[in-house]
Amino acid sequence: MEKQPPSFWSVPVPEVLSRLETTPEGLSFAEAESRRERWGANRLAPKKRTDVVTLLLGQFSSPIVLILIGAAAISILLHDATDAAIILAIVLASGLLGFWQERGAAGAVERLLALVEVKVEVLREGSPHEVPVADVVPGDVVLVSAGATVPGDCLLLEVRDLFVDEAALTGETFPVEKSLGVVPAAAALAKRTNALFMGTHVVSGNAKAVAVATGKQTEFGKVSERLKLRPAETEFEHGLRRFGFLLLEVTLLLVIGIFAFNVYLHRHVVESFLFALALAVGLTPQLLPAIVSVNLAHGAKRMADCKVIVKRLASIENFGSMSVLCSDKTGTITAGVVTLRAACDLAGNESDQVRLFAYLNASFETGFMNPIDTAIREKLAAETSAWRKLDEIPYDFVRKRLSILAGGPSGSVMITKGALASVLDVCTRARDAAGAEVPLPTVRDEIDARFAEYSNEGSRTLGLAYRELGSVTHIGRDAESGMTFLGFLVFHDPPKPGIAATIEHLRELGVHLKVITGDNVLVAARVASEVGLGQARVLAGRELARMSDAALLGSVRDVDVFAEVEPNEKERIIVALRKAGNVVGYMGDGINDASALHAADVSLSVEGAVDVAKEAADIVLLEKDLNVLVDGVREGRKTFANTLKYVLMATSANFGNMFSMAGASLLLPFLPLLPKQILLTNLLTDLPEMTIAGDAVDTEMVATPRRWDIGFIRSFMITFGILSSVFDYLTFGALLFLLRADTALFRTGWFVESVISAALIVLVVRSRRPFFTSKPSRPLLLATLSVVVITVLLPYTPLAGLLGFVPLPPLFLAFVAAVVALYVVSAEVTKALFYRHAAGARTGHGSARIDQMGLKNYLAMQSTGNKAD
């Protein structure tokens, strides 16, 4: 089989089918599977591997760990094979621990993603079947309809009123009409009217087409390959990367300095090198990738229980830190069940002709199923046997109207419905209440007054017009002129029960709802008042269009409702909100929402959304309900809180221990701990932290949006690292001057004190509250107590000799108990002072900003929930 016939749009259909070795009835299941194995999955980039081998090897991919393994291997040949083997065993144990956790997390995430996978309808063995887009292969016959994503580059076999949005490839604003035929090989992409291309989506109509190219072989794939497109980095990923750089700086400075000093002091080079590398491992929370994966996977599972499916795990943190949610009105704050209240003439009276023409327009259109047309068809069922559809101009977001050419008893009639202003733009006359046609200007005031009346009642109102065209059977956009305005279609979509309380819950969580709607200002204001937005400030689309980007940035915080908004303006609003310092979420489910979803920090869609919206979203709600969102935000914040707990635990305790060890190595005539003992310390202190994903989270940690703050982490690390070092040096003094400890006893004593203090301090730093008022999860508590018991017993076991430990005298164990108790109390006091100082610093910083910004602007920022810092 020829994988992709060159210039397939210029080749007749029978020849293309022959080259692809397929038929209009599609492939067999066996042949499709064979081609998938041969050509690969229909993806622009390879799927990230999560098989056993890849996950296992990934645990040992850190450069520091690889150097440590290499140095241990050299040590086997040159120095002490036993010690080197123990080091390798500990490194392997750490890696296996991370692998075990990540493997379970990866499997859970794959199962969740399968719930919201975008699928396409293909013919297999002559019958339609839904398959994942990734399973489409060259030669597959696909069936597409309004709202569907095109799964590859395809040649049309059958077509009915097909219009496709190709803006992603050509930049063309208007949907392109597609038809059967042969196009010259040299035709530009926008002129290939007999072909469909990956990255585009169907606006209206339906078609049957054969897939000619998939994945990287498509036009879209070639562009993405040249540009090497990759998802934008989330704030969570950016924070992790900055945190990694912070650790790298500290680790390099400390390790290089320690190695150089130990060599200068004429200590064994290989042992000094291993010691320095072990310090690097101790400073580096090497389980952070596993902890992050497990935390995010646990969060994704909890959010799935709340009917929120996470497609991109790193977006969970952004979801939790979201401070502004932009959403449409229909189905989100309203019930989403649109009902037709009236089909009336100019005077507001029910009209049989309005009802008939509205029904013909709604029943003949082939665009994406929408609640407006559904309401018309349900309410205005009419006898249409005397009518037939001749042509269609689909709805688009520039014209804001839909035209149908229908053939009836008296000839062809073009019927147009849409936004009232857009319909009136193409009308020159109107039919009055008596049935007479009059010039439009003579009744324009009456039309506007009627429209305002309906809008003030909270009803969405469309206009309906017609034009008699005699024997015409085909229409283009230029036919929409010289029309006669016929009447109004009045719809009602009431607010959801309890929506005001839900919006208040979001506000209590620090998430401010901003409604972006195409409805007019009057309708939007009425609905806003009904759902508890109070005296909402409404910005009309025409005002928005006149605003410069700077002016929009200055006012976007204060606007609650954006009305009469064009689809291309949604992205502009979101960008302005982000520049104003917000973490912005956008919830969309329509064909016109893709660019706004891409622009937002958190892109949300719903299970029933069109394919293009679901593909663009990071998070998919199984129900279009803000209550679901409230629960999801809480779970997102819990996930971030537990990830941050690990970072604070690991960096504070590790930094203190390693700093103490580095200092001691310069003062003592021997290494304070052997490399294998350092690694064992690191392994044991990581065990309680592996359970952090399921830890309880204090209510204040989910009450407001939280974001990465590297300055805060650095201060925390230094503050608690210094505190840890103070008690480490107290232990040194007791061992050297009270117990007169030799090398083995010193190492054993410090190992025991170091591990026990690091394990117990987890219970302190995991919460901002006093540790005895914040209950940890049972697994965390049991893991911590187990590590304490193991550490105390280890010097008395047969493993002690291999690890370089000796039994400790009872007096020293009593001393350790006293030191650890004092350490915990001191940590509690330090924690209280640290958070008090951090809060004061933020307040002081805010006060400084007041002087710079002016009191008025500062209060405006505070009133919209934005921190001054």
Side-chain angles (χ1 to χ4, degrees):
M1 185 201 92
E2 186 178 338
K3 188 178 181 184
Q4 180 181 355
S7 305
F8 64 89
W9 52 89
S10 66
V11 181
V13 167
E15 187 176 340
V16 171
L17 292 174
S18 175
R19 292 186 186 185
L20 291 171
E21 298 178 11
T22 188
T23 70
E25 284 70 46
L27 301 172
S28 67
F29 287 103
E31 178 62 21
E33 182 60 31
S34 172
R35 294 189 184 196
R36 191 180 190 281
E37 292 177 2
R38 192 185 325 161
W39 302 122
N42 182 23
R43 292 191 178 96
L44 298 182
K47 185 179 180 182
K48 184 179 178 181
R49 294 182 63 187
T50 55
D51 56 87
V52 171
V53 175
T54 303
L55 281 178
L56 183 59
L57 293 178
Q59 308 305 315
F60 306 99
S61 60
S62 164
I64 293 175
V65 173
L66 291 175
I67 294 171
L68 182 61
I69 292 172
I74 294 172
S75 179
I76 291 175
L77 300 175
L78 302 179
H79 184 50
D80 188 340
T82 302
D83 279 8
I86 292 172
I87 290 172
L88 291 174
I90 294 172
V91 170
L92 179 63
S94 293
L96 290 175
L97 200 59
F99 162 73
W100 172 67
Q101 294 252 339
E102 279 202 82
R103 186 185 178 195
V109 171
E110 286 188 359
R111 288 190 293 275
L112 291 176
L113 289 178
L115 295 175
V116 291
E117 191 171 35
V118 174
K119 296 186 177 181
V120 63
E121 196 171 23
V122 302
L123 292 181
R124 293 275 166 88
E125 298 177 353
S127 300
H129 295 271
E130 280 197 343
V131 301
V133 170
D135 289 349
V136 174
V137 297
D140 257 328
V141 174
V142 301
L143 306 175
V144 294
S145 56
T149 293
V150 177
D153 289 355
C154 306
L155 183 67
L156 289 168
L157 304 179
E158 298 175 10
V159 63
R160 181 186 173 197
D161 302 323
L162 187 69
F163 286 79
V164 177
D165 185 338
E166 294 184 340
L169 283 176
T170 66
E172 172 60 44
T173 303
F174 289 100
V176 177
E177 186 173 11
K178 296 290 183 177
S179 59
L180 301 179
V182 175
V183 174
L189 193 147
K191 301 297 183 182
R192 300 170 194 170
T193 54
N194 64 338
L196 304 177
F197 297 97
M198 179 180 248
T200 66
H201 61 270
V202 179
V203 174
S204 66
N206 48 65
K208 178 180 176 181
V210 60
V212 179
T214 57
K216 292 182 180 179
Q217 300 304 314
T218 63
E219 296 292 335
F220 192 69
K222 293 170 186 174
V223 172
S224 66
E225 183 68 14
R226 286 197 298 270
L227 298 178
K228 294 294 182 185
L229 298 175
R230 56 168 293 174
E233 187 178 56
T234 68
E235 185 171 319
F236 180 70
E237 292 166 326
H238 179 65
L240 277 180
R241 184 165 56 81
R242 291 181 62 206
F243 174 60
F245 284 136
L246 171 65
L247 288 181
L248 183 63
E249 292 169 4
V250 174
T251 301
L252 284 177
L253 286 173
L254 192 59
V255 169
I256 292 172
I258 293 305
F259 177 64
F261 271 107
N262 276 291
V263 171
Y264 175 76
L265 296 173
H266 305 292
R267 291 173 182 164
H268 195 284
V269 173
V270 173
E271 189 171 77
S272 296
F273 185 55
L274 282 170
F275 176 76
L277 286 175
L279 278 182
V281 173
L283 270 173
T284 308
Q286 71 269 30
L287 288 181
L288 181 60
I291 293 290
V292 169
S293 295
V294 172
N295 266 343
L296 294 179
H298 272 256
K301 285 192 284 187
R302 288 195 301 265
M303 290 169 72
D305 293 335
C306 300
K307 300 182 180 180
V308 178
I309 305 299
V310 180
K311 288 175 58 184
R312 186 180 177 194
L313 288 183
S315 65
I316 289 179
E317 188 277 336
N318 275 4
F319 192 40
S321 59
M322 180 172 66
S323 56
V324 170
L325 172 65
C326 297
S327 174
D328 62 358
K329 175 178 68 67
T330 304
T332 306
I333 63 176
T334 64
V337 181
V338 178
T339 55
L340 180 65
R341 283 182 53 195
C344 50
D345 60 18
L346 215 63
N349 302 316
E350 285 288 332
S351 165
D352 289 339
Q353 188 170 14
V354 172
R355 295 168 68 91
L356 174 63
F357 278 14
Y359 183 77
L360 289 171
N361 181 284
S363 59
F364 284 159
E365 69 94 15
T366 57
F368 181 69
M369 185 67 66
N370 64 83
I372 294 288
D373 288 321
T374 300
I376 292 173
R377 287 193 289 265
E378 289 177 352
K379 182 73 177 287
L380 302 181
E383 173 57 46
T384 60
S385 58
W387 294 84
R388 70 189 189 282
K389 179 181 176 181
L390 299 175
D391 203 2
E392 175 179 1
I393 306 174
Y395 182 91
D396 64 63
F397 298 101
V398 177
R399 293 165 41 253
K400 293 187 177 180
R401 53 184 178 261
L402 164 71
S403 292
I404 295 292
L405 182 64
S410 303
S412 299
V413 180
M414 183 173 68
I415 305 167
T416 299
K417 79 170 186 300
L420 182 67
S422 298
V423 171
L424 290 175
D425 284 345
V426 296
C427 292
T428 56
R429 303 180 68 79
R431 177 171 287 189
D432 65 15
E437 289 193 7
V438 297
L440 181 65
T442 62
V443 291
R444 184 60 189 261
D445 289 344
E446 184 181 351
I447 292 172
D448 290 342
R450 190 75 57 194
F451 177 70
E453 176 189 340
Y454 294 141
S455 297
N456 279 320
E457 295 171 356
S459 296
R460 183 176 183 180
T461 307
L462 302 185
L464 186 71
Y466 73 98
R467 179 184 177 188
E468 295 179 345
L469 293 174
S471 60
V472 171
T473 59
H474 179 75
I475 53 174
R477 282 195 292 266
D478 57 350
E480 293 180 327
S481 62
M483 302 190 72
T484 300
F485 181 75
L486 190 58
F488 305 95
L489 298 172
V490 185
F491 300 89
H492 186 54
D493 184 12
K496 282 185 177 179
I499 188 63
T502 302
I503 293 173
E504 182 58 32
H505 289 156
L506 280 171
R507 191 179 291 118
E508 290 169 357
L509 288 170
V511 180
H512 298 267
L513 178 68
K514 294 186 183 292
V515 178
I516 302 178
T517 179
D519 284 346
N520 68 70
V521 171
L522 298 175
V523 173
R526 173 63 181 264
V527 173
S529 66
E530 289 178 352
V531 300
L533 290 179
Q535 298 299 315
R537 180 184 170 189
V538 182
L539 181 66
R542 56 185 177 274
E543 298 174 46
L544 177 65
R546 290 195 296 266
M547 279 185 170
S548 67
D549 289 342
L552 178 60
L553 181 63
S555 62
V556 72
R557 297 185 184 95
D558 303 321
V559 177
D560 300 297
V561 180
F562 298 87
E564 301 172 17
V565 173
E566 304 284 350
N568 59 329
E569 295 286 6
K570 294 180 181 180
E571 182 177 357
R572 187 172 171 230
I573 293 167
I574 290 166
V575 170
L577 284 165
R578 292 183 65 187
K579 286 182 177 179
N582 300 289
V583 177
V584 183
Y586 178 77
M587 186 157 71
D589 60 359
I591 292 173
N592 64 324
D593 287 322
S595 61
L597 288 166
H598 282 298
D601 294 297
V602 188
S603 52
L604 303 120
S605 193
V606 294
E607 173 58 16
V610 298
D611 291 348
V612 68
K614 282 173 67 175
E615 283 186 340
D618 294 324
I619 294 171
V620 177
L621 309 183
L622 297 184
E623 292 181 5
K624 193 173 183 180
D625 188 342
L626 289 184
N627 272 317
V628 170
L629 205 63
V630 170
D631 296 333
V633 167
R634 289 196 179 101
E635 291 301 335
R637 291 181 184 175
K638 288 179 182 178
T639 301
F640 176 61
N642 280 336
T643 303
L644 189 61
K645 281 180 192 178
Y646 173 77
V647 170
L648 296 180
M649 292 170 185
T651 52
S652 58
N654 288 4
F655 179 75
N657 286 341
M658 299 307 119
F659 182 75
S660 302
M661 207 174 306
S665 71
L666 304 180
L667 301 174
L668 298 173
F670 54 86
L671 292 177
L673 282 182
L674 296 173
K676 60 188 176 186
Q677 294 168 340
I678 297 174
L679 294 174
L680 183 60
T681 299
N682 202 44
L683 176 63
L684 288 173
T685 54
D686 270 334
L687 286 174
E689 293 158 2
M690 290 294 285
T691 66
I692 204 67
D695 190 30
V697 177
D698 297 335
T699 53
E700 61 268 22
M701 294 300 291
V702 299
T704 56
R706 296 186 182 276
R707 304 170 72 171
W708 276 97
D709 185 344
I710 296 300
F712 172 83
I713 293 172
R714 184 189 297 112
S715 298
F716 194 95
M717 181 172 74
I718 293 172
T719 301
F720 284 87
I722 291 173
L723 179 67
S724 174
S725 292
V726 167
F727 285 90
D728 284 338
Y729 284 113
L730 279 177
T731 305
F732 293 167
L735 287 166
L736 292 173
F737 302 116
L738 296 180
L739 295 179
R740 305 292 179 181
D742 59 15
T743 301
L745 182 60
F746 181 91
R747 288 169 175 164
T748 305
W750 190 32
F751 169 82
V752 170
E753 184 274 337
S754 178
V755 173
I756 292 176
S757 61
L760 291 177
I761 204 65
V762 165
L763 302 179
V764 175
V765 300
R766 59 169 290 278
S767 171
R768 297 190 176 200
R769 302 177 183 177
F771 76 92
F772 49 84
T773 66
S774 178
K775 187 178 179 181
S777 66
R778 182 183 295 271
L780 176 59
L781 183 60
L782 291 177
T784 301
L785 297 178
S786 298
V787 167
V788 171
V789 172
I790 290 170
T791 303
V792 171
L793 296 179
L794 196 56
Y796 305 96
T797 67
L799 292 174
L802 285 173
L803 296 170
F805 296 141
V806 296
L808 292 169
L811 178 62
F812 180 74
L813 289 177
F815 173 78
V816 167
V819 167
V820 169
L822 185 59
Y823 178 40
V824 169
V825 172
S826 300
E828 276 294 340
V829 174
T830 303
K831 180 175 70 174
L833 294 174
F834 176 84
Y835 283 117
R836 189 178 305 163
H837 178 267
R842 283 197 295 271
T843 303
H845 183 46
S847 300
R849 286 284 298 276
I850 293 177
D851 295 336
Q852 297 166 16
M853 297 165 52
L855 181 61
K856 181 178 178 180
N857 289 344
Y858 177 78
L859 291 175
M861 288 181 69
Q862 294 300 307
S863 70
T864 56
N866 295 297
K867 291 184 175 67
D869 60 342

